[in-house]
Amino acid sequence: MRFTKKAAVFGATAIVAALTLSACGGGSTDNNSSSGADAPYKVADNVSLSGSPTFDKVKGDGKITIGVKEDQPGLGFKDPATGEYSGFDIDTARWMAASLGLSADKITFQAIASANREQALVNGQIDLYIGTYSITDKRKAQIDFAGPYLVTGQALLVKKDNTTINSDKDLAGKTVCSATGSTPIQNIKDKYKETKTTEFDVYSKCVDALKNGQVDAVTTDQPILAGYAAQDPDNLKVVGEPFTTEKYGIGLKKGDGALRKFLNDVLTNGKNIWTKLYDNNLGKSGLKLEQPAVDNY
Ligand code: GLU
């Protein structure tokens, strides 16, 4: 099944109800036991993958460090009370680790902000990055991506009582907040010259700025914004339709073509698993996004 543009354009309000809330915390080992027995995939044994430096390292260490977001409910989220990680990106990370022969208890999740992802991969601080990470040519100069595993687009989050911002056409003279180093802030700077920008390392700080009245809107990918709207549906709403195309990839060290192909094969051969993970996290309200075909670059 190929992804279509139409499939990316979904009603944000519909997903709001499906997502849960909270704040953020530090990085730590995956202690979510629910990712074990009831997961729709098995931990592979005797994985055959030659020519991958990352796999050799991970196999030798018997553990994997995966960079994620932890303040994006429904995608990458760490429950501050229990320390449990949840979301579509987190489950995708567990699936990829399992396909490499590593069970959930062998995963260390490390929160890495949007601006620091390439460097964390280049430095070897993390083995993979799975967290609303758009595949771009600029990033591909430093790292490689498997995927895409999800395609969405940039949208807007405003206060519920806001009547002046209904789409990206209404941003002239407004102040919009997004994360440093992200594709949405760059898009605003490049194409919306009459719009002022405020930036933070993570989106949850933009949401605070919106609630405090410091900014008029938050912009990033629609499912991320829907997660924040779900935290506070009485005060926040997602408006308009996505106005960019964001293809989420799995970040890995540049030149590890063997690992990229391996992960692409896992994604391509795992349509039922993908659907289950999607339904569990983002599709609870009945929204349907199709799994995109992986890139062959
Ligand atoms: N997908 C966009 C990006 O990679 C926005 C979300 C994010 O910052 O993680 O820049």
Side-chain angles (χ1 to χ4, degrees), residues 3-223:
F3 172 83
T4 60
K5 181 125 198 279
K6 193 164 167 256
V9 181
F10 53 83
T13 44
I15 37 179
V16 166
L19 302 169
T20 48
L21 41 146
S22 261
C24 52
S28 55
T29 303
D30 187 6
N31 64 355
N32 186 356
S33 55
S34 67
S35 59
D38 58 355
Y41 48 79
K42 297 241 177 315
V43 178
D45 37 43
N46 297 322
V47 180
S48 160
L49 172 50
S50 59
S52 167
T54 304
F55 177 69
D56 291 345
K57 171 182 173 269
V58 157
K59 200 178 171 193
D61 293 351
K63 58 189 170 71
I64 188 165
T65 303
I66 305 181
V68 294
K69 296 293 180 65
E70 59 180 28
D71 68 334
Q72 298 180 181
L75 289 156
F77 183 70
K78 184 182 180 186
D79 187 315
T82 64
E84 280 196 9
Y85 290 86
S86 64
F88 182 68
D89 285 338
I90 296 294
D91 278 349
T92 301
R94 290 176 177 137
W95 174 25
M96 295 303 122
S99 73
L100 292 166
L102 294 143
S103 52
D105 59 320
K106 302 288 189 292
I107 304 171
T108 299
F109 287 127
Q110 200 167 321
I112 308 276
S114 295
N116 303 330
R117 295 181 282 205
E118 290 83 72
Q119 203 53 46
L121 285 163
V122 169
N123 291 345
Q125 184 187 340
I126 53 174
D127 300 306
L128 296 175
Y129 191 95
I130 306 182
T132 62
Y133 197 10
S134 294
I135 300 170
T136 69
D137 288 341
K138 193 172 166 216
R139 291 170 180 166
K140 279 197 308 197
Q142 292 189 71
I143 59 139
D144 281 339
F145 287 100
Y149 63 92
L150 194 76
V151 181
T152 178
Q154 181 176 357
L156 296 164
L157 181 76
V158 297
K159 279 194 178 163
K160 189 97 178 235
D161 59 3
N162 183 311
T163 52
T164 57
I165 302 176
N166 296 303
S167 80
D168 64 309
K169 310 276 180 294
D170 303 322
L171 295 180
K174 307 288 186 202
T175 302
V176 172
C177 189
S178 195
T180 304
S182 69
T183 52
I185 191 113
Q186 197 56 49
N187 185 40
I188 297 293
K189 286 176 181 171
D190 290 347
K191 301 206 181 117
Y192 298 78
K193 298 289 184 198
E194 289 164 42
T195 301
K196 293 187 273 300
T197 54
T198 294
E199 48 189 280
F200 293 103
D201 55 344
V202 293
Y203 295 107
S204 44
K205 292 182 187 169
C206 283
V207 176
D208 292 341
L210 176 65
K211 288 184 183 173
N212 295 340
Q214 288 168 254
V215 302
D216 299 304
V218 179
T219 188
T220 186
D221 307 328
Q222 193 183 45

Side-chain angles (χ1 to χ4, degrees), residues 221-237:
D221 307 328
Q222 193 183 45
I224 303 173
L225 298 177
Y228 294 125
Q231 290 185 313
D232 196 357
D234 293 339
N235 291 309
L236 301 173
K237 64 180 177 184

Side-chain angles (χ1 to χ4, degrees), residues 220-260:
T220 186
D221 307 328
Q222 193 183 45
I224 303 173
L225 298 177
Y228 294 125
Q231 290 185 313
D232 196 357
D234 293 339
N235 291 309
L236 301 173
K237 64 180 177 184
V238 181
V239 291
E241 296 297 343
F243 51 95
T244 65
T245 300
E246 305 296 323
K247 299 164 93 183
Y248 289 175
I250 299 172
L252 51 114
K253 209 165 210 171
K254 191 160 182 63
D256 199 335
L259 180 60
R260 195 177 74 79

